[in-house]
Amino acid sequence: MDRMTQHAHSHPHTPHDWSAMADELEAEAQIFLPYVAGALEAIDADRPGRRPGVILDVGAGPGVFTAELARRHPAARVVAVDGAPELLERARERGAGAGVETLRVDLPGGLADLPEADLILAAQTVHHLGDQAAAVAALAGRLRPGGVLAVAEGGLPTRFLPRDLGFGRPGLQDRLDALLSEGFAAMRAQEGGTDGVREDWPGMLRAAGLTDVRARTFLVDRPAPLDDGARAAVARTLGRYLRLGDRLAEVDAETLRRLVDPDDPASIRRRGDAFVLAARTVFTGVAREV
Ligand SMILES: C[S@@+](CC[C@H](N)C(=O)[O-])C[C@H]1O[C@@H](n2cnc3c(N)ncnc32)[C@H](O)[C@@H]1O
């Protein structure tokens, strides 16, 4: 993807302490849930009458999407898979009423140990693993015949604010996108073995032996004015951009500080013009029936 600019979580890609990011991941997943709900609906519509018995949410984080999987498929065994115990605990609490299970696994090594499943969701997770094609192949290898792998990666840059905020320098989000794109590339390079590797997601799913490979893009369109919860989540997301530190122009750092300061009249929490507009792509493929 135009790297970080299309990344659902817009994190600046400093080394991750996933557990410390629990609140951010949770708030963002709630904002972006509509794209996952859309994808799950589309997957079900592709397969009338088929109900998955075992579902894995790989890289589930705090389990917002896992809970949606369980809500859609109440009879299924639904497992949140992640490497961060604190996030899994959130996933367990959130999904307790729906019987969501959790499984702590270090990826990609643990992929081979995952239970076999009829539906596997990996949302914004595979790009954190060095060899993405191998990870896709390993995920596909855990599908039962006829099972579906759904990999959410890429889309379009998210927009939260008008181009001109009435203060600072217009076009803040374009400049943040450029910085985040560089950060994403650096993060991928750190994962190793990624130079010159094409990010051809449909190609990776096909190479993994999956059929009926599709790419579908879903909109998250939450117009202004946002409710207080969504505004707080947007403020939290924008606050993360401050971690870009001196890579940010001072004028943009100052704009961000004002946007995330709840006491500032220009704060996101007080703005009626903040919105969420995002497009997220979900690649799906089906394991051959034997
Ligand atoms: C960007 S978050 C995505 C969370 C959620 N799927 C979503 O889209 O909102 C990536 C998740 O993958 C997990 N993760 C990343 N690298 C991992 C690894 N090597 N082993 C296990 N889990 C990992 C992190 O703990 C985190 O919860």
Side-chain angles (χ1 to χ4, degrees):
M1 47 190 162
D2 177 27
R3 304 305 180 186
M4 195 57 237
T5 56
Q6 297 171 356
H7 186 219
H9 299 280
S10 304
H11 44 77
H13 290 296
T14 46
H16 294 303
D17 177 351
W18 289 112
S19 296
M21 290 170 64
D23 288 340
E24 294 166 14
L25 290 173
E26 197 163 66
E28 288 179 14
Q30 273 157 351
I31 286 190
F32 289 104
L33 181 58
Y35 94 79
V36 172
L40 298 180
E41 197 164 323
I43 290 168
D44 286 348
D46 288 344
R47 308 155 61 74
R50 286 187 85 128
R51 289 277 162 262
V54 179
I55 302 175
L56 307 181
D57 182 6
V58 177
V64 176
F65 301 161
T66 327
E68 176 64 12
L69 284 160
R71 191 193 64 76
R72 282 194 77 85
H73 297 291
R77 176 185 175 211
V78 180
V79 187
V81 178
D82 205 280
E86 296 83 351
L87 298 182
L88 285 176
E89 182 52 23
R90 290 204 186 200
R92 196 192 56 74
E93 279 170 18
R94 180 181 301 278
V100 165
E101 296 174 31
T102 60
L103 184 61
R104 195 190 162 278
V105 164
D106 285 322
L107 304 173
L111 285 171
D113 302 325
L114 298 180
E116 290 197 335
D118 304 292
L119 173 60
I120 300 178
L121 172 68
Q124 316 302 334
T125 296
V126 177
H127 67 248
H128 291 292
L129 309 176
D131 186 339
Q132 298 177 130
V136 166
L139 287 166
R142 303 318 297 156
L143 289 174
R144 289 173 171 165
V148 177
L149 173 62
V151 176
E153 293 284 347
L156 290 172
T158 304
R159 287 291 174 266
F160 300 114
L161 291 161
R163 186 192 64 86
D164 192 337
L165 302 173
F167 69 100
R169 197 174 143 218
L172 171 70
Q173 286 208 257
D174 295 327
R175 293 188 296 282
L176 292 177
D177 286 344
L179 290 173
L180 294 173
S181 180
E182 285 170 20
F184 190 92
M187 182 274 296
R188 285 294 305 148
Q190 262 175 20
E191 297 295 342
T194 57
D195 275 359
V197 176
R198 214 155 38 111
E199 263 165 14
D200 171 9
W201 295 103
M204 288 186 237
L205 269 69
R206 282 191 207 99
L210 302 181
T211 62
D212 302 325
V213 172
R214 299 190 60 169
R216 280 175 284 206
T217 298
F218 300 89
L219 210 55
V220 177
D221 181 9
R222 303 182 66 162
L226 295 176
D227 61 30
D228 288 350
R231 274 200 292 247
V234 170
R236 207 183 271 282
T237 296
L238 289 175
R240 287 163 68 170
Y241 292 55
L242 281 165
R243 290 188 211 144
L244 290 164
D246 57 14
R247 284 189 285 155
L248 277 173
E250 181 47 37
V251 61
D252 290 338
E254 178 56 18
T255 301
L256 284 171
R257 282 193 288 270
R258 292 195 63 188
L259 286 169
V260 303
D261 177 356
D263 297 325
D264 192 303
S267 146
I268 285 284
R269 287 181 177 77
R270 301 184 184 203
R271 300 183 77 91
D273 59 358
F275 57 91
V276 181
L277 182 60
R280 296 283 172 260
T281 303
V282 180
F283 302 91
T284 55
V286 180
R288 288 174 211 281
E289 307 271 2
V290 279

